[in-house]
Amino acid sequence: MRLVFAGTPDAAVPTLHRLASDHDVAAVITRPDAPLGRKRVLTPSPVARAADELGIPVFKAARLDDEVTQRIAALRVELGVIVAYGGLVREPLLSTPTAGWINLHFSLLPEWRGAAPVQRALIAGDARLGASVFQLVPALDAGDVFASRAFDLPEGATADVALRTLAEAGAELTAEVVSGIADGTAIAEPQQGEPSYAAKLTLEDGVLDWSQPLEAVFARFRGVTPEPGAHTTIDGQRLKILEAVPALDAEPLPSGHITGTKSAVLIGTATSPLAVTRVQPAGKGAMHAADWWRGQRAAEGLRAGS
């Protein structure tokens, strides 16, 4: 099948590789190069790099405008596939491929429509995560679903680990749907149930509330790691929490109370403490939490969230 593929981050790369192995990917659309690192060097997106390696022509566009539409129309593609491109597909581009566009979305639709489905699902403490492939329509993630499947995740997986797992599994799911569309066997069904929405995360979403139970604190930590990053304040300074696990066997501590062990820092919640093993203080590099704690002066008077 002759395809056009749109995507930008690492999570879209497995699907591009999978489709390129079985189909004719005529072109890839991705976001323009972005400044990365301390020196703000303009860097191609992961999808752009993957397309170059595969020898597929790349269109870099901040918006899917008339120019992009004309270029895609000239390719006479049968289907468009989009995975986390970072922009909306509107008419007339939406109808330019013969079979329209399909979208791989990292949720069990209609749950968590929107920009950050994996992160919001983890924050909410959802017991299962998954991926859906649906027909793209003008309304946000509202099209009929060709396939939806839940996948097992590593215990305690943070958002980056969960997304990598879903990206690999979702690539196979998308390949199945594309093959079904190609041979005429794919059937899309309307979404069933009440939708929920996954707004893009902000820095404020990373604040850990130590007055909540451990389950809720750890769920938020998982959902905001690595971006925008879990953090708290210590004596008015922000402390980023990079690695943490529940300390279910530890003695309870007052909410926000900090105590150190040889290998971790325990911070009290409304129930059991959270064991923090790696942190990044403001203006410094990442370090072991126990080393950071030993370096604090008047440590007994410090509390998380203060």
Side-chain angles (χ1 to χ4, degrees):
M1 197 170 195
R2 188 165 170 82
L3 312 174
V4 61
F5 182 88
T8 299
D10 284 316
V13 172
T15 301
L16 174 58
H17 275 287
R18 183 65 180 83
L19 295 179
S21 68
D22 289 340
H23 300 278
D24 175 16
V25 181
V28 163
I29 310 169
T30 191
R31 303 282 289 184
D33 297 358
L36 297 180
R38 292 183 179 180
K39 295 185 178 180
R40 311 302 288 167
V41 176
L42 283 177
T43 306
S45 73
V47 164
R49 295 196 299 271
D52 285 340
E53 292 169 1
L54 292 166
I56 301 172
V58 177
F59 303 159
K60 296 181 181 181
R63 293 173 57 249
L64 300 178
D65 55 15
D66 291 342
E67 180 183 353
V68 172
T69 300
Q70 292 171 10
R71 297 179 75 175
I72 298 306
L75 295 173
R76 299 187 181 279
V77 296
E78 300 168 89
L79 180 68
V81 180
I82 189 166
V83 184
Y85 162 72
L88 299 176
V89 181
R90 298 184 173 91
E91 294 291 4
L93 181 57
L94 192 60
S95 300
T96 296
T98 309
W101 289 74
I102 60 171
N103 189 170
L104 169 62
H105 186 72
F106 299 115
S107 82
L108 299 171
L109 290 171
E111 298 173 7
W112 303 118
R113 296 176 180 175
V118 173
Q119 295 91 330
R120 293 294 180 185
L122 290 174
I123 291 171
D126 287 4
R128 58 177 194 153
L129 278 73
S132 303
V133 180
F134 68 96
Q135 188 77 45
L136 205 63
V137 297
L140 179 66
D141 299 336
D144 292 353
V145 174
F146 286 100
S148 187
R149 194 172 298 164
F151 300 100
D152 293 330
L153 300 175
E155 185 176 356
T158 50
D160 55 339
V161 175
L163 192 54
R164 283 197 300 270
T165 300
L166 294 176
E168 294 290 344
E172 290 300 319
L173 190 67
T174 306
E176 292 174 16
V177 171
V178 172
S179 294
I181 293 173
D183 64 22
T185 60
I187 299 174
E189 301 286 349
Q191 296 183 27
Q192 301 292 327
E194 191 69 24
S196 54
Y197 293 91
K200 185 178 179 180
L201 297 178
T202 67
L203 186 63
E204 192 66 22
D205 286 307
V207 177
L208 300 183
D209 181 356
W210 304 106
S211 68
Q212 293 185 323
L214 173 62
E215 183 180 57
V217 174
F218 187 55
R220 182 164 293 274
F221 166 78
R222 292 173 65 199
V224 300
T225 299
E227 295 294 339
H231 58 274
T232 189
T233 51
I234 307 290
D235 197 23
Q237 297 293 312
R238 189 167 72 187
L239 180 72
K240 193 170 184 179
I241 297 175
L242 304 178
E243 296 177 6
V245 293
L248 297 174
D249 296 331
E251 291 293 325
L253 295 169
S255 297
H257 184 84
I258 308 172
T259 188
T261 70
K262 290 183 178 180
S263 59
V265 168
L266 301 181
I267 304 180
T269 73
T271 52
S272 298
L274 183 72
V276 178
T277 55
R278 196 163 181 81
V279 299
Q280 184 175 3
K284 297 182 179 180
M287 63 180 68
H288 291 295
D291 293 340
W292 165 80
W293 182 243
R294 282 191 289 269
Q296 297 305 297
R297 295 180 179 180
E300 295 302 320
L302 296 181
R303 295 175 62 86
S306 63

